[in-house]
Amino acid sequence: MTTDANLDTDLVEVSPGSEASCRLEIRNAGQIVESYVLEVLGDAAGWAHADPPTVSVYPGSAETVAIRFQPPRSPQVVAGERPFGVRVTPAENPDGQVVPEATVRVLPFAEIAPEILPRTSRGRWGGRHELSVSNLGNAPLGLALAGGDPDNRLRVTVRPPQLSVAPGEAAFVQVRVRARRLRWRGHPVTLPFQVAVSSEETPPATLDAATVQEPLLPQGVGRIIAALVVLALLGAGLWYALLRPSVKSLAEEVAQEQVAPVAQQASAADSRAKQADDKAQRALGGASASPRPSGPTPSNPPLPPSATPSALVPGIPAGGQSFSRRLAVTAPKGATRTDQYTVASRRVFVLTDIFLQNPQGDEGRLELVVDGTTVLTVALNNFRDLDYHMVSPIEVRAGRVISLRATCRKAGTTLDGAGGGGGQCRDYALLNGYTRSGSTPAA
């Protein structure tokens, strides 16, 4: 063998975002001047190179080159050790190549980007928020979450209070705020609160949010009730003063017109009855006429009670459970990123509503893909909030994947209080529906 190459160390440590290097010595044991091409092999090839990439060595002599490692500060380069090699290929004798090997250790770094949405909620008893925490580091993070109110006017509940987030992923938790005292009337009141996110590797982060507590009785309801009472009294006064006498007079006239013919018929009948009675007395020798019995008055039969059928409003089928899932995608300009959800084993997810969010006003394309099929494509610059109600719900069986894919053409303005810096599209999709039991499809 005419070529000998050796690295000066077996282990190189480097921090993401910085540079580390080692030395490679190449010795030419041949009889001619040889030119060598150097190439880094292994997982580190994307962020390591030889400096210079080619070198010429005279017979019987040696040259030294630097192998430089520059891993990016990104969650894509996970902390840990990676073996690498440097392939040294002679230009005149390609079959005589050698590959010295060593190990590079990427050191961990921690960075999080918490965000709470919405920043302000409204309600008579409290509000609901969602906290998202993105792990921008290259190592798993254990996070502790807690909520508080400096004025002690709210109960702030974070579920779950602890979680673990893998590198490059985001976790979502529910934040529920509830007022300690009800507000019956008056103006709405803004109640601020904070949510703290802490870990052993990162400094604590505090997010500010608020809920607007509205009164149970709308403002001005007393004046409305008083006005209605006054109108009712005025209506009653007009009835008794103007309408009632006219109605009474008209009723009397109508009654007299209807009673007059009856009175005439009754008078004629009374005269005929008196004449018949006189004849009867003369015929019977003054015997008195027997009184005519009066017939019973038939009573009205009671009406049968009417049955009122009751109707039931259909809801979630028996065995179904309400379910929602939020997908979040963070993509740099010109890139496409995806977040996905896999339906749990032995369950079927019935998708009934889709709520899309583009809070920064990004430009690009947003796609919802169900089991490899694109079911929804929208342009980001056409909306900020967009709600779809599925007339025919989409059933996604166990093991199938629902993906949110965002292609960032231009990032909008970063929201106040959102971490991570600008220049990235941040878009979300909230999937609502319910799950029911079902079998896992065969592979």
Side-chain angles (χ1 to χ4, degrees):
M1 180 179 293
T2 60
T3 301
D4 184 23
N6 296 285
L7 293 167
D8 65 347
T9 181
D10 294 330
L11 178 65
V12 181
E13 289 188 347
V14 60
S15 297
S18 60
E19 179 182 319
S21 63
C22 62
R23 310 297 294 181
L24 174 67
E25 183 184 72
I26 304 173
R27 183 172 297 278
N28 184 4
Q31 302 297 321
I32 61 174
V33 177
E34 187 66 81
S35 176
Y36 298 95
V37 178
L38 310 179
E39 181 183 3
V40 180
L41 306 177
D43 293 342
W47 35 270
H49 65 280
D51 185 17
T54 60
V55 62
S56 297
V57 183
Y58 288 97
S61 62
E63 292 290 341
T64 301
V65 298
I67 307 299
R68 304 187 184 278
F69 301 89
Q70 298 172 322
R73 189 176 177 87
S74 167
Q76 305 301 324
V77 183
V78 181
E81 295 184 355
R82 295 170 173 79
F84 73 93
V86 181
R87 180 161 55 196
V88 181
T89 304
E92 301 296 332
N93 184 21
D95 294 336
Q97 65 181 8
V98 295
V99 182
E101 297 179 353
T103 301
V104 58
R105 177 184 296 161
V106 179
L107 300 178
F109 77 97
E111 182 180 349
I112 60 174
E115 182 180 11
I116 187 169
L117 293 173
R119 294 292 299 276
T120 303
S121 62
R122 301 182 71 92
R124 291 180 173 86
W125 288 273
R128 295 178 181 270
H129 302 254
E130 185 176 56
L131 175 67
S132 65
V133 183
S134 300
N135 182 1
L136 304 182
N138 65 345
L141 286 180
L143 302 176
L145 313 173
D149 169 22
D151 299 327
N152 198 28
R153 294 190 291 177
L154 294 172
R155 294 186 180 93
V156 184
T157 305
V158 182
R159 289 289 182 273
Q162 296 179 348
L163 52 87
S164 178
V165 186
E169 295 187 359
F172 300 88
V173 297
Q174 299 296 322
V175 180
R176 174 76 180 273
V177 292
R178 189 174 183 88
R180 296 183 182 273
R181 297 179 59 184
L182 294 178
R183 187 172 184 82
W184 291 97
R185 61 190 183 89
H187 296 280
V189 176
T190 301
L191 304 177
F193 67 94
Q194 293 81 35
V195 177
V197 182
S198 60
S199 68
E200 295 181 356
E201 294 83 3
T202 61
T206 302
L207 301 176
D208 293 319
T211 183
V212 178
Q213 185 183 13
E214 298 178 341
L216 292 178
L217 299 178
Q219 186 178 1
V221 68
R223 292 192 293 269
I224 295 175
I225 294 175
L228 293 176
V229 171
V230 171
L231 289 176
L233 294 176
L234 288 175
L238 290 173
W239 167 261
Y240 281 99
L242 300 176
L243 298 179
R244 185 171 181 269
S246 301
V247 172
K248 183 178 180 181
S249 175
L250 180 60
E252 290 176 351
E253 293 177 359
V254 173
Q256 290 176 1
E257 292 177 356
Q258 294 179 353
V259 170
V262 177
Q264 293 176 0
Q265 295 176 4
S267 178
D270 186 55
S271 299
R272 289 192 296 269
K274 187 175 180 180
Q275 293 175 2
D277 185 56
D278 292 341
K279 292 179 180 179
Q281 286 180 0
R282 289 194 297 269
L284 295 174
S288 60
S290 59
R292 292 175 294 174
S294 59
T297 302
S299 61
N300 294 327
L303 296 176
S306 62
T308 303
S310 62
L312 297 177
V313 178
I316 297 177
Q321 298 179 357
S322 178
F323 182 82
S324 64
R325 180 75 177 194
R326 191 167 191 257
L327 303 179
V329 179
T330 300
K333 180 179 179 181
T336 299
R337 295 290 185 268
T338 302
D339 190 14
Q340 63 185 25
Y341 162 68
T342 303
V343 179
S345 175
R346 301 183 183 278
R347 303 297 293 176
V348 175
F349 177 33
V350 181
L351 179 60
T352 61
D353 295 273
I354 305 171
F355 183 63
L356 305 178
Q357 292 180 299
N358 178 16
Q360 296 183 160
D362 303 325
E363 296 182 10
R365 185 175 67 254
L366 197 64
E367 300 172 285
L368 187 69
V369 182
V370 178
D371 194 25
T373 301
T374 301
V375 299
L376 182 64
T377 302
V378 293
L380 288 173
N381 49 310
N382 287 343
F383 72 96
R384 287 296 184 97
D385 295 314
L386 192 59
D387 188 13
Y388 282 95
H389 177 72
M390 315 300 293
V391 177
S392 298
I394 300 175
E395 291 190 0
V396 187
R397 297 193 173 273
R400 306 302 188 188
V401 178
I402 302 176
S403 302
L404 180 68
R405 182 166 59 205
T407 301
C408 181
R409 184 166 61 87
K410 179 181 179 182
T413 304
T414 303
L415 298 178
D416 294 339
Q424 291 185 329
C425 295
R426 301 167 66 86
D427 306 294
Y428 310 88
L430 180 62
L431 311 178
N432 289 322
Y434 62 89
T435 62
R436 58 176 175 81
S437 62
S439 60
T440 303

